[in-house]
Amino acid sequence: MNRRRCATAAITVVCALTVLASPVQAAYAAPTPPPPPASSPPPPGKSLEEVRREIDALYRQAASATDAYNLAEERAKKQSAEIVRLAQAIVEGQARIEDLKNRAGAAARAQYRNGGIPDEAQLVLTDDPQLFLNGVGRLQQGQKATKDLLAELKQRQADLEAYTKDASAHWTELEAGRVQQAKTKKQIETKIAEAKKLESRLEADERERLLRLERDEQDRAQTAWLGSGVLKEIGGSASPRGKKAIEFATAQLGKPYVWGAEGPGSYDCSGLTSQAWAAAGTGIPRTSQEQWRLLPRIDVEDMRPGDLIIYHADASHVGLYIGDGAIIHAPRPGRNVTVAGAGSMAILGVVRPDK
């Protein structure tokens, strides 16, 4: 009965794996943006600067949700891999149990062929002292082998039950994560659509002015950052791996930002930085928040090219420092991978992947 139940669980887990790829990959694909509505006047009573701030806030909210989506995606991949491992362990465990049962059955059949007389009784009946001594040794070995066989059989059955339970738990977590991913995906799409709708209400000249306002805001922040004298303290040179990460990021310049993307044709902010350091031979967390949480932190004054600068209080953005007060980053939807001032956004801190 246990064998049938465990085998059924193994088959269920293995079969379930065939449907893992489709939903995850589908969720991972970038959504098709909705067609922009017809041009209409900006919201009454709002200046262009207020519209810019509202659009920026919407994209910031989308970026934060993107980080949560990417983290859920990374966890889903790990859970899927763990389910595969557990499924294989279940199948291998079942095969080992069958082997142990066959060996136990062979021992029972051997005793039956001896007329059902236990080895202990046969040993007592012998008149030959040498045979008696030899028999004692064989009996002790046989008893130990039987004891070991039964102990292993019991342990394998316990392992099998644990594997089945763990696989079920991982599957439950995976399904819960998918539900949360779907909600987060909808939130991202909604925020981006709202931002695009606001932009679409502007005339062509107003959109151009909006872009200038965005650049002016970044320039003011960069000027203030440089004016603090921080760049005078920054004089480190890139490590060999840092140089490779910069080379990779530089080769991606001009490619579009797509939320959830990590190349090769498009990137989001942490997709770019994680792939840049992967190309340099160093694996780092997928999301900017996890990069901030898990990677070694250093003072801004001590940073060197190749380090990652984390932005905003919620660590929702990241750029790769390339030296001379500049970063390469994937800004937001509607923008391409570009070079920007390292101080053009609110710096939360700096982390070093190869420290």
Side-chain angles (χ1 to χ4, degrees):
M1 188 66 169
N2 286 338
R3 182 181 66 188
R4 188 180 300 112
R5 184 166 61 251
C6 291
T8 302
I11 293 170
T12 300
V13 172
V14 173
C15 291
L17 295 174
T18 61
V19 300
L20 278 175
S22 179
V24 171
Q25 291 173 355
Y28 196 69
T32 302
S39 179
S40 57
K46 289 187 177 181
S47 68
L48 196 59
E49 173 61 18
E50 289 175 322
V51 173
R52 184 195 70 78
R53 291 177 181 174
E54 188 173 350
I55 290 173
D56 184 63
L58 288 167
Y59 279 127
R60 284 275 308 280
Q61 292 168 25
S64 184
T66 297
D67 225 40
Y69 178 91
N70 289 337
L71 181 59
E73 176 72 12
E74 188 175 37
R75 287 174 177 169
K77 289 178 180 178
K78 291 179 180 178
Q79 287 165 349
S80 297
E82 183 63 12
I83 289 173
V84 170
R85 187 191 70 79
L86 289 168
Q88 292 172 340
I90 288 171
V91 172
E92 291 170 1
Q94 186 62 56
R96 181 56 178 165
I97 286 174
E98 288 298 321
D99 177 62
L100 292 170
K101 287 183 176 180
N102 289 336
R103 288 167 58 188
R109 288 191 297 273
Q111 181 173 318
Y112 177 79
R113 285 194 297 270
N114 290 335
I117 301 175
D119 290 340
E120 294 90 337
Q122 294 182 14
L123 185 62
V124 169
L125 294 175
T126 182
D127 293 328
D128 189 324
Q130 187 60 47
L131 287 176
F132 179 85
L133 293 175
N134 293 340
V136 168
R138 288 196 301 272
L139 180 59
Q140 290 175 338
Q141 292 175 355
Q143 288 175 335
K144 183 179 184 305
T146 300
K147 184 179 179 181
D148 291 346
L149 186 150
L150 293 176
E152 184 180 355
L153 180 59
K154 183 178 180 180
Q155 183 61 52
R156 289 285 180 170
Q157 289 173 330
D159 290 345
L160 200 57
E161 291 178 4
Y163 292 151
T164 303
K165 184 177 179 180
D166 287 348
S168 177
H170 278 285
W171 183 259
T172 300
E173 291 177 9
L174 187 63
E175 288 303 300
R178 284 210 181 123
V179 172
Q180 184 59 45
Q181 269 187 284
K183 292 180 180 178
T184 306
K185 180 176 184 285
K186 184 176 181 180
Q187 181 184 359
I188 295 168
E189 292 173 336
T190 299
K191 296 300 180 183
I192 292 176
E194 289 177 10
K196 289 182 179 295
K197 185 177 181 180
L198 281 175
E199 287 185 281
S200 70
R201 291 176 178 175
L202 303 174
E203 300 294 342
D205 62 329
E206 289 176 318
R207 285 197 291 272
E208 183 61 33
R209 285 172 54 206
L210 187 71
L211 183 58
R212 286 202 299 270
L213 286 173
E214 180 182 307
R215 290 172 178 168
D216 289 345
E217 175 66 21
Q218 293 172 353
D219 289 344
R220 281 194 294 271
Q222 175 73 355
T223 299
W225 184 68
L226 293 176
S228 69
V230 65
L231 203 58
K232 296 178 182 178
E233 303 295 328
I234 301 174
S237 57
S239 66
R241 290 193 176 187
K243 290 179 181 178
K244 290 182 180 179
I246 293 172
E247 289 173 2
F248 178 92
T250 302
Q252 314 314 310
L253 288 171
K255 293 183 179 180
Y257 177 107
V258 173
W259 70 268
E262 48 187 335
S266 57
Y267 297 88
D268 63 20
C269 66
S270 57
L272 176 64
T273 55
S274 61
Q275 289 302 305
W277 271 98
T282 300
I284 64 174
R286 168 64 177 87
T287 71
S288 58
Q289 292 175 348
E290 290 294 279
Q291 289 168 6
W292 173 244
R293 187 174 73 87
L294 298 174
L295 294 178
R297 300 179 186 181
I298 61 170
D299 293 334
V300 174
E301 293 80 4
D302 296 329
M303 72 177 175
R304 67 190 185 194
D307 290 342
L308 304 182
I309 303 181
I310 309 297
Y311 294 96
H312 309 308
D314 60 355
S316 58
H317 193 72
V318 60
L320 180 72
Y321 185 62
I322 59 174
D324 296 325
I327 60 168
I328 292 178
H329 73 142
R332 65 165 177 82
R335 301 287 187 265
N336 298 330
V337 176
T338 188
V339 175
S344 59
M345 295 167 284
I347 294 176
L348 177 61
V350 180
V351 294
R352 178 167 294 166
D354 60 344
K355 185 175 180 180

